[in-house]
Amino acid sequence: MPSAQTVRISNMSRPYAATAASIAAFTVLAAAPAFADSAYVTQAAVGGSAQIQMIGPSHNPQTAVTHARSISVPTSTPEMAAARGSGHMAQTFQIGNHNHVAHLQVGTGNQSTAGIIGNLNQVGVLQAGNNLRSNVVLLGTQGLNVGVIQPPGSPPVSMLIARLPNGGLLIKR
């Protein structure tokens, strides 16, 4: 009988021994220092130079050539550049959840603005011409799909669709 109890105790203590060994190993590994590079990239100053060491074509490894290279930093980014070419402008203002707006413009000088205050709305604007204007506002609406198609030479579109407090829908064009 004593041997059966000893076996039972050792079988019961195996999971605890494995857990204790895991905790001890984790504690030892966690105590070791961790090293990492910085997450930030250093920026070069305008007109700055960097030393680059290159090994020359000779067979002597002691021969090294040092070159100073000038690093130029652009003065403006593409986002700061003025609009050129077609002159299109598409603006979207959204407050709410799951709203989708698409502005498709073909031609030159088209302007499109869409404003949504509501949820689950979809607005699509297609302008195929020159110097077309459209303004679409959905106010307090939910689940509306609105499409604006402007062929060449069409008049400006200005539309307000609002949900009234009494539940009615106001469409002002």
Side-chain angles (χ1 to χ4, degrees), residues 6 23 41 78 81 109 113 133:
T6 305
I23 291 172
V41 177
T113 304
R133 309 282 180 262

Side-chain angles (χ1 to χ4, degrees), residues 37-94:
D37 291 335
S38 172
Y40 300 102
V41 177
T42 58
Q43 301 294 318
V46 175
S49 64
Q51 297 293 327
I52 300 172
Q53 187 175 18
M54 300 176 63
I55 298 176
S58 69
H59 296 289
N60 185 359
Q62 300 296 331
T63 305
V65 180
T66 303
H67 296 281
R69 189 176 116 207
S70 176
I71 300 173
S72 63
V73 178
T75 57
S76 66
T77 61
E79 293 84 8
M80 296 169 54
R84 295 184 190 114
S86 64
H88 293 306
M89 182 181 73
Q91 297 176 336
T92 301
F93 175 77
Q94 297 182 43

Side-chain angles (χ1 to χ4, degrees), residues 6-167:
T6 305
V7 171
R8 182 185 296 166
I9 291 172
S10 65
N11 285 340
M12 294 280 294
S13 64
R14 280 187 186 168
Y16 298 118
T19 303
S22 299
I23 291 172
F26 179 73
T27 304
V28 169
L29 292 176
F35 299 102
D37 291 335
S38 172
Y40 300 102
V41 177
T42 58
Q43 301 294 318
V46 175
S49 64
Q51 297 293 327
I52 300 172
Q53 187 175 18
M54 300 176 63
I55 298 176
S58 69
H59 296 289
N60 185 359
Q62 300 296 331
T63 305
V65 180
T66 303
H67 296 281
R69 189 176 116 207
S70 176
I71 300 173
S72 63
V73 178
T75 57
S76 66
T77 61
E79 293 84 8
M80 296 169 54
R84 295 184 190 114
S86 64
H88 293 306
M89 182 181 73
Q91 297 176 336
T92 301
F93 175 77
Q94 297 182 43
I95 297 177
N97 296 318
H98 308 292
N99 295 312
H100 300 281
V101 177
H103 300 271
L104 304 171
Q105 298 174 324
V106 178
T108 58
N110 296 325
Q111 292 183 359
S112 173
T113 304
I116 300 175
I117 299 177
N119 298 315
L120 302 168
N121 295 301
Q122 296 183 8
V123 174
V125 179
L126 172 60
Q127 295 176 320
N130 297 325
N131 301 317
L132 300 174
R133 309 282 180 262
S134 70
N135 295 310
V136 177
V137 177
L138 303 180
L139 183 60
T141 58
Q142 182 171 349
L144 288 182
N145 296 324
V146 177
V148 177
I149 300 174
Q150 288 185 285
S154 64
V157 173
S158 185
M159 184 184 311
L160 167 68
I161 301 174
R163 179 68 64 188
L164 299 175
N166 65 0

